[in-house]
Amino acid sequence: WVMSFAAEAGLEQQLQFPIMQLVPDAPPQIGDLPLIVEVDPDDTGLVRRVTDAFTTGNEIPPGVFDPLVAPRMFDRPEVAVYAALDEDAVTSVGIRLQVPGAVGVFGVATPPEHRRRGLGEAITARIVVDGFAAGARSAFLGATPMGYRIYERLGFQATHVGMKLIF
């Protein structure tokens, strides 16, 4: 699904990530989190700030992630876009993909000025908790080098050498 959506959006760069999976004995527990909201597609100002946070958090040129947070993304019932907020600032972002029996975590990114405060971990935890509440029994993600240790702390384990994702 992710690769076909990226290809439809015209994203062309190819990256390889190790696949990690979380299969807990009990639903994950999370403590205090920053304000994390599921993005309302009608809030165009927030959608724009979320798109900017994807861009700066991944340190890529403007416009690359626009198709991932485009209005048609919000029309997919299996997808939810999340944003951690500090007043008007979007401090971290992520995407939940709900599939039968599992939840996928994608696009977790924190702009450089907000890093090293646990925000990427918090948004990942929120996505996983919401996914389990919606019926998932496991979680999966493609881990970047920056996020790998964070995901290990949350209990994810590498299961595959990697997946190729076309951007």
Side-chain angles (χ1 to χ4, degrees):
W1 180 90
V2 174
M3 290 192 293
S4 66
F5 188 77
E8 285 174 29
L11 302 176
E12 299 174 5
Q13 182 181 6
Q14 195 173 60
L15 303 173
Q16 188 163 333
F17 299 100
I19 302 300
M20 299 183 83
Q21 185 177 23
L22 172 68
V23 184
D25 294 331
Q29 300 296 312
I30 54 175
D32 293 335
L33 294 178
L35 175 61
I36 298 173
V37 300
E38 189 173 327
V39 177
D40 178 350
D42 294 328
D43 187 341
T44 56
L46 179 57
V47 170
R48 179 76 250 155
R49 292 192 322 271
V50 165
T51 303
D52 291 345
F54 274 116
T55 300
T56 59
N58 284 289
E59 298 176 8
I60 57 173
V64 172
F65 273 99
D66 289 1
L68 293 178
V69 193
R72 68 189 181 101
M73 178 76 152
F74 291 98
D75 292 338
R76 297 176 176 268
E78 70 276 17
V79 175
V81 178
Y82 290 81
L85 304 175
D86 184 1
E87 296 183 16
D88 263 357
V90 174
T91 58
S92 193
V93 291
I95 299 170
R96 175 171 56 104
L97 172 61
Q98 197 76 36
V99 297
V103 59
V105 180
F106 293 96
V108 175
T110 302
E113 67 272 20
H114 300 293
R115 291 183 184 155
R116 312 212 49 81
R117 298 187 346 212
L119 297 166
E121 185 171 354
I123 208 154
T124 301
R126 168 69 188 273
I127 290 169
V128 170
V129 167
D130 285 3
F132 275 74
R137 294 178 307 282
S138 68
F140 63 94
L141 52 79
T144 62
M146 188 181 303
Y148 192 89
R149 297 282 179 239
I150 293 168
Y151 304 135
E152 278 188 323
R153 277 198 307 270
L154 289 170
F156 283 86
Q157 296 179 351
T159 59
H160 297 0
V161 173
M163 76 172 174
K164 289 185 179 179
L165 183 59
I166 299 171
F167 279 84

